Amino acid sequence: MSHGSSNEERFRSLVEATPDTVILHAGGKLLFINPAGVRLLAASSPEELIGRPMKDFVQAGNRSIVLDRVNPPFTGPSKLTEDLMVRLDSEVIEVEVVGLPSSYENRPATQLVIRDITQRKRAEAALRASEQRYRSLFEGVPVGVYRISRRGELELLNGAMAELLGNRHRDALIGLDTGELYTNPDDRTVWKAIMQYEGRVTNFETQIQRLDGSKIWVRSHAQALHDEHGEVTGYEATVEDISDRKRVEEQLLHDALHDSLTKLPNRTLLMDRLSHCLARRVRFADYRCAVLFLDLDRFKMVNDSFGHAVGDHLLIQASHRLADCLRPNDTLARLGGDEFAILLDDVKDASNAVRVAQRIQQELEVPFQLEGREVYSSASIGIALSDGESRPEDVVRDADTAMYRSKSQGRAGYAIFDSRMHAEVSTQLQLETDLRRALASWQFEVFYQPIVALSSGNLAGFEALVRWRHPEHGLVLPGEFMPMAEETGLINPIGHGVMLEACRQMKVWNDRRAPREPVFISVNLSTRQFRQPDLFDQLSQLLDSSGLSGDRLTIEITEGAVMNEPDAVLQTLARIKRLGIRISLDDFGTGYSSLSVLHRLPFDRIKIDRWFVQHIGVDNGSDELVEGIVALCRGRRLDIIAEGVETNEQRQKLADLGCGFAQGFLFSEPISQEHAGRLLATPSPNFESM
Ligand code: C2E
Ligand code: CA
Ligand code: CA
């Protein structure tokens, strides 16, 4: 310590005022202590302390800096160290100490600056304990707890959360995009919207896909985390698996909507589905559905003479047979007793419903085997179609009315609700008769519509389109008779004839054109045709008998043909492709799962539906769709054919978008065989100058 009274005084007043303890000691004895030090050591005056051995203030057995510094020499300030000291009242306190070389009354001494950190240490210990408690809570709760970033990536999670996700290695889960877990991506959007408006999301129920692919239902609560500026930095959430509860709920819901005996939908569910169907009319103007009301003719007699158990069996067996007569989208319901109802989704007219009624009656002609007895039963069926503004109750009531009429006319019949529907059915039945005759005497002709390469304007191929040369009505377009042909199965022989004619013709034309570039022929296969078990044999025989090389033939199928049973479809397509035949996806853009189908199946060509082509340049959606398809097809080396091109603008726009081929009235309507032959005979058929 330097000499000179002013310096010394300044030092003293500083030392008097500081809240830290200042001690000077030398030779193991305390020489000076400031007022803060007197308070720290629980003395009443400095005199009580001065002259006492320093080790009095050090906890026995403790390696102490307070003692270490008792004997100098040391040269500079020591490191800040934590230490334990003993007060006069024997209480041990925790301190932070720094020592410096100094002097006292001209002798070397050690100066200690000491700060009491007992409070701070206690607070730290308490914090550690509470953190530990929180940690064990975080880890111990059977609920998933986690934190995600603003973008949804996992940042922190507990063991329960890792288990919920199906992966015990939680480090591997950090960074996982939780948004990808939703099985219904819409739920993510909903979650975000609620979070944005309310800052928190509570009781949010959704289904997620775990990492092993299994699906579970969860309920979660989440709240936003903010930084000091109030910006959202992430979210904190808890989540629990509620799959069991959901299953119970679903079971209850199922029970409430199904008949316990036959397990069929009950009246409530039927009415619900019917109202959904009727709502579709708003979007699809020509959409109609039908209800068949069925009453088993002999049920009462069976029940009365053989007992309820046998009656129950009859109902169950009958329900199986009825179900066999329906398409996947139709609903068979038991309304009670021996009454059933069938909702036929998407019917053209009453004749579709009549066909189902006839099929049911055929099915019921075979006797039932009930506990060793043969029992005959039949059904009376009433048919009603949705119409204009009809409500669900109306349609069912009309079907019921028609059923009573049918019953009054004798068993095993059917009746249609009104006379206009009668008329429809008879025209349809007439059409069916005519169509059978047309097949027998082959009144069909194949027309050919040119398909043009957009870059050169050259003719690349033809699409074969069937026409019916009706003896009275003249040339009939496929729209008039295809639905009936499809429904009755007549499409198979008709389609086969068309393919044979088109392939033979193409062979002749290409032979004539040689050595010029051959053109291809594209034929349509309806869903029913595509599902023929012997389709592959038919096609390979077709190539043999016509002599056409497989790679000159393309078949066009729609999504409907390939939607179900993807594995079986894939096999069929693979076999067909081995013949060299190309596969074209027709009417692309009109189906449900277009892009996914496109990804999975080995198509060679995509035909963009006319609707999109005609909206090109009119609405953005169409442009984007076409651009998207082009991009997708480029990567997979698929040809794109635009259908229904009618204007030069459309043609230009399609070419700009990168579409390779087009067909449509701009180039040519479908033309007769003779006309197509003349076109091919020109040196190089070109549509550049249109
Ligand atoms: P699709 O396969 O989509 O055939 C294209 C339809 O669009 C043809 O109608 C064609 O005449 C018409 N079209 C072509 N260019 C234009 C255009 O620029 N503007 C407009 N508005 N229409 C155009 P079509 O010949 O009446 O055939 C209708 C549907 O019948 C075909 O639709 C196809 O699904 C089916 N079809 C035709 N022939 C056969 C066949 O031999 N077998 C099978 N299974 N179905 C066929
Ligand atoms: Ca087509
Ligand atoms: Ca088409």
Side-chain angles (χ1 to χ4, degrees), residues 449 463-467 477-478 482 491 498 524-526 529 556 586-587 610 614 643-646 664-665 670:
Q449 187 175 36
E463 175 173 5
L465 293 159
V466 68
R467 304 288 181 258
L477 291 175
M482 273 297 167
I491 185 63
V498 169
N524 293 284
L525 280 193
S526 76
Q529 284 177 278
E556 299 191 3
D586 206 354
D587 302 340
R610 191 162 76 218
Q614 297 185 344
E643 296 187 308
V645 178
E646 293 182 354
F665 296 165

Side-chain angles (χ1 to χ4, degrees), residues 278-522:
L278 293 176
R280 293 183 63 178
R281 201 183 36 218
V282 178
R283 280 194 294 152
F284 307 101
D286 55 355
Y287 173 87
R288 289 170 93 184
C289 59
V291 170
L292 271 60
F293 200 106
L294 253 106
D295 186 281
L296 294 185
D297 291 324
R298 299 208 179 175
F299 179 73
K300 235 183 143 31
M301 198 197 79
V302 173
N303 226 10
D304 294 347
S305 39
F306 305 129
H308 286 296
V310 177
D312 284 355
H313 269 137
L314 175 59
L315 289 173
I316 292 169
Q317 287 191 19
S319 72
H320 293 160
R321 291 200 194 170
L322 295 176
D324 287 343
C325 300
L326 304 179
R327 301 166 303 172
N329 280 348
D330 300 333
T331 301
L332 168 63
R334 181 175 173 221
L335 302 183
D338 57 351
E339 286 179 350
F340 294 86
I342 294 169
L343 167 61
L344 301 178
D345 180 27
D346 198 6
V347 295
K348 292 251 161 0
D349 51 53
S351 68
N352 298 66
V354 165
R355 227 167 277 285
V356 175
Q358 287 169 339
R359 212 176 310 148
I360 288 172
Q361 268 147 357
Q362 260 172 32
E363 280 287 318
L364 295 181
E365 273 169 19
V366 183
F368 290 92
Q369 303 294 330
L370 298 172
E371 307 197 337
R373 261 183 286 266
E374 277 201 343
V375 176
Y376 286 84
S377 181
S378 55
S380 298
I381 303 176
I383 299 170
L385 255 71
S386 68
D387 192 13
E389 296 300 295
S390 44
R391 292 165 304 160
E393 313 80 271
D394 299 340
V395 187
V396 174
R397 189 203 52 222
D398 292 351
D400 193 6
T401 310
M403 188 276 291
Y404 275 102
R405 196 186 321 141
S406 158
K407 225 179 185 73
S408 69
Q409 291 162 356
R411 283 189 290 107
Y414 64 85
I416 303 165
F417 180 65
D418 76 11
S419 51
R420 190 177 46 76
M421 288 182 204
H422 270 296
E424 268 179 17
V425 171
S426 54
T427 356
Q428 290 297 313
L429 291 178
Q430 186 59 49
L431 175 62
E432 184 181 340
T433 316
D434 287 0
L435 205 52
R436 288 187 190 281
R437 201 169 298 142
L439 176 63
S441 58
W442 197 253
Q443 297 168 3
F444 301 102
E445 283 174 29
V446 181
F447 272 50
Y448 298 88
Q449 187 175 36
I451 297 175
V452 176
L454 276 178
S455 56
S456 59
N458 285 340
L459 176 77
F462 286 113
E463 175 173 5
L465 293 159
V466 68
R467 304 288 181 258
W468 175 9
R469 180 104 28 214
H470 194 284
E472 290 145 44
H473 307 139
L475 206 61
V476 184
L477 291 175
E480 304 278 323
F481 61 91
M482 273 297 167
M484 174 62 77
E486 180 78 5
E487 201 176 303
T488 52
L490 290 170
I491 185 63
N492 291 344
I494 296 175
H496 187 264
V498 169
M499 277 198 290
L500 189 61
E501 189 173 322
C503 289
R504 282 193 177 141
Q505 191 57 61
M506 206 54 186
K507 165 75 173 155
V508 172
W509 281 335
N510 275 335
D511 285 352
R512 243 182 245 162
R513 275 170 65 76
R516 280 174 292 164
E517 178 79 352
V519 292
F520 68 82
I521 183 77
S522 200

Side-chain angles (χ1 to χ4, degrees), residues 37 126 160 168 222 264 362 375 379 415 441 553 555 688:
R168 278 158 210 267
L264 292 177
Q362 260 172 32
V375 176
S441 58
L553 174 62
I555 58 172
E688 195 49 74

Side-chain angles (χ1 to χ4, degrees), residues 583-589 598 601 603-609 629 633 638-643 659 661:
I583 317 266
S584 196
L585 179 61
D586 206 354
D587 302 340
F588 183 78
L598 198 55
L601 296 173
F603 296 111
D604 302 289
R605 304 197 159 118
I606 303 295
K607 299 191 78 170
I608 301 177
D609 190 66
I629 298 169
C633 292
L638 292 164
D639 291 334
I640 307 168
I641 302 172
E643 296 187 308
C659 172
F661 299 89

